Each structure stands twice: as structure tokens, then as C-alpha cells.
Amino acid sequence: MKNREKEERIFIRIQKHRKESWKKLCSQKRISLSSLIIDSVESRIFDDERRKILAFIEKQDNIFVKIETNINQVAKIVNAQKFMNVEALKGFNEKLKTITELKEQQNKVFTKIYYLIAKNC
């Protein structure tokens, strides 16, 4: 919910080329000039960076969903055959171990990201 306080205007003087440069940066980042200035002054994460972070999190989640689907497919095949050779089992266990380690690292990164986002809201 937006803050219902009356907004104030601040007028600043900058060179025209600097203003154009800032506007170009805002256009590239798809943020407003006000957002650029306020977030910079308050050391907050820019809206475009927040969007990139959320897209990254969604992409990571999709990758792990695909991996989990593959694991389920392997389990279905093994259950149907009632057999899995030792080499395939070792390889499968190594991949599961790697996935578990990656998931733990991802969760640590996500915890830090959420902390930074929450701190900047």
C-alpha cells in the first residue's frame, strides 16, 4: 500500500547533459528519474535490479523443477524394471548429492537476497 502522505517537490539544478544522461540511464533500466535519485540517496536496490533478482529466482526454481522431474522419471523406470545396475546407481547418487549441495547454496543466496530486498523496502 502506498504511503498517503502529501508528496513534496525538490528542485535541483544540474547541467543539461547530465540530466539527459540520467534520463537515458532511467530509460535503459526502465525506472523513473525520481526512483533513481531516491534509491541512490537512500542506498536502496533499484527497481530494475529487484526485477532481475526475482527473474533469477524464478529461473532457478524452474531448473530445479526440471531436475526433480528427471529424478521422478528415473525412479519410475527403476521401479518398473525392479533393477538398477551398480554403476548407474553410483552415478545417480553422485548427481543427487550435487543437487543437494547446489540447493543448499541456492537457499543461502536466496536468504541473503531476501534480506537485502526486505531491508530496502
Side-chain angles (χ1 to χ4, degrees):
M1 185 188 305
K2 287 215 170 204
N3 193 348
R4 298 286 182 202
E5 285 184 39
K6 184 175 179 180
E7 293 183 358
E8 296 283 332
R9 290 188 180 264
I10 297 176
F11 297 97
I12 60 172
R13 294 178 191 264
I14 60 172
Q15 290 122 355
K16 185 173 182 152
H17 70 85
R18 181 172 282 166
K19 179 182 176 185
E20 294 306 317
S21 174
W22 289 4
K23 286 173 72 176
K24 183 178 177 183
L25 178 65
C26 290
S27 177
Q28 291 169 348
K29 291 181 169 282
R30 296 184 357 235
I31 60 175
S32 68
L33 185 55
S34 294
S35 177
L36 174 73
I37 294 168
I38 292 168
D39 291 346
S40 296
V41 169
E42 294 180 357
S43 300
R44 294 175 49 165
I45 295 174
F46 294 126
D47 288 340
D48 70 313
E49 292 170 335
R50 188 174 284 113
R51 284 191 299 268
K52 288 178 188 175
I53 289 168
L54 294 174
F56 168 77
I57 290 171
E58 186 176 327
K59 182 179 177 184
Q60 289 297 108
D61 191 45
N62 290 338
I63 289 170
F64 279 103
V65 166
K66 289 178 183 177
I67 291 169
E68 290 166 0
T69 300
N70 290 342
I71 290 170
N72 288 336
Q73 289 172 346
V74 169
K76 185 177 179 180
I77 292 168
V78 170
N79 284 335
Q81 294 177 353
K82 303 292 183 204
F83 175 77
M84 184 174 201
N85 70 36
V86 176
E87 290 302 315
L89 183 59
K90 284 182 184 177
F92 186 73
N93 283 335
E94 283 299 314
K95 289 178 181 168
L96 283 177
K97 183 179 176 185
T98 302
I99 291 167
T100 302
E101 291 168 358
L102 290 172
K103 193 71 170 175
E104 288 173 2
Q105 290 174 7
Q106 173 189 341
N107 289 341
K108 288 178 185 176
V109 169
F110 287 174
T111 301
K112 290 177 184 177
I113 289 170
Y114 288 135
Y115 171 76
L116 289 172
I117 290 173
K119 182 177 152 185
N120 286 290
C121 289

